[in-house]
Each structure stands twice: as structure tokens, then as C-alpha cells.
Amino acid sequence: MSRTERVYHRIVVWLVFTILALPLLVTLLYALATQWGATILPSGFTLQWMKNLWSDPRFLVALGHSLLICFGALAFSLVLMLPAMFVIAYYFPRLEAVMNILILLPFAIPPVVSSVGLLQLYSAPPLMLTGTPWILIGCYFTIALPFIYRAIANNMQAINLKELIDAAHLLGASTGQAALLVVLPNLRKGASIAVLLSFSFLIGEFVFANLLTGTSYETLQVYLYNMRSGSGHFTSALVISYFLVVLVVTWLANTLNRKRG
């Protein structure tokens, strides 16, 4: 690659980065602005909007609700899907074609339609789950399922699952021991990618949270929707805080993944 091509590629990368970062930067400036009207730049800067947001108990509760539901759904997905995917990949590889179709079903039905059906099913005994976090964990499990399955399935294909198990058998390990001690550590990268991708998607989910729980179990996105009529500076501070939460979780996950590696 010539020097001119390298310069061109860098210009393109920085241009794309600038286009993506510019809306976030403007939102940050508005969250820190004392007043921003007809001028190009704010008249001053303050941390008061951020302070008001992070001192609001309702926001902290909504943030805790969102984190609890997201991590609960992701933990449930991994505990259920990892053994199922191992069994399919090792014992029943022909079922992978069926699974590739089944995992797309959550995206085939619009969230509004699904919410109406869930309201009719779980708003009366014996399972009155509407307005509780349990119904959201179940919904978010179905949303995260395609991301988790696809990422881990690709990882399984890359590590040659059958060859690893056969090698472990030759060394005297049982299939269960091989799955726990050999296969599972090699799936760490695929699982971490699946979790981070799913988390960034789930924490921003609004339709299910608004229709199935609303203010009875207010999540971050529902809180943002309910505060939309307030100050634009306060709302911008909320958006930036939401982005920072996702960024911190991603950084922590990557750091832990490197230390384990």
C-alpha cells in the first residue's frame, strides 16, 4: 500500500468517525450548556444538569431496573443456550438449519403485536406477570437469542468443536469434562461479543418495556420517554449518561476478558 493510499484511508476513517461522533458531541455540549439559543456555541457551561440527573432517585431506580433486566435476560440466555448449542453442534448437527430459522422468529413479529398477545396471556391468573420484571426478562431473552446464538455458533465452527472433544476423549476426559474444561473456555470471546452486542441493544429497548410494565417497573428508556416534556438540557444529560453506562459496561467486559486471557 502506497503512502497516498494510507493517507486516503485515514481521511476516510476519520471522516466516518467524525460523522458518527458529531451528534453525540453536540448532545454533550447541550447537556453541559447553561443556555444555548440562537448562537453557534453555548453561552456557558455547567454540570448542574448532570448533577440534577444523578441526584434524582427515580433515574437511579430506572437505571437499576434496566441493568437488572438486561443482565438477568443475558444470564438466562447463556445458561439455557450454551448447553443446547453444544448438544446440537456435537450430537445433532443437522438441526442447525432448523435453529437458523427459529432464531429469526423474534424479528418476524413486530414488538407491538407481541406485546398485545403477551398482555392478553399474562394479565390474568394463573400467571399475572404484566407489570413485573419477569415478563421483560422473558421478552428480552427472545430478543437476545439471535445475537447470542449466531455469535456462539460462529465461534463453535471456528474452534472445530468435534476435534476438540475427540482429542479430550483420547486424553481420558468425559464429554462433560471436555465441554466444561476445553470447549467453554474457547467460547469466551464469542460469548463476550454476544453479551455486549445484546446488552447495547436491550438497554435501549422501549416498546416492550413501555407496554408491558410502564411506570410500574420503570426502565431507563421509559424514564427518558416520561421526561421528554422537561428541559432539553436535562434530557441531553440523560442521553449522554445512557451512552456512558453502555461504554463503561463494554470497557469492564473487555478488561475482564483480557485479564482472563
Side-chain angles (χ1 to χ4, degrees), residues 129-150:
L129 300 179
T130 304
T132 68
W134 306 112
I135 192 168
L136 286 183
I137 290 176
C139 289
Y140 286 6
F141 163 74
T142 62
I143 296 174
L145 183 61
F147 301 104
I148 290 178
Y149 179 85
R150 192 69 270 154

Side-chain angles (χ1 to χ4, degrees), residues 13 17 46 117 179:
V13 170
F17 177 78
T46 181

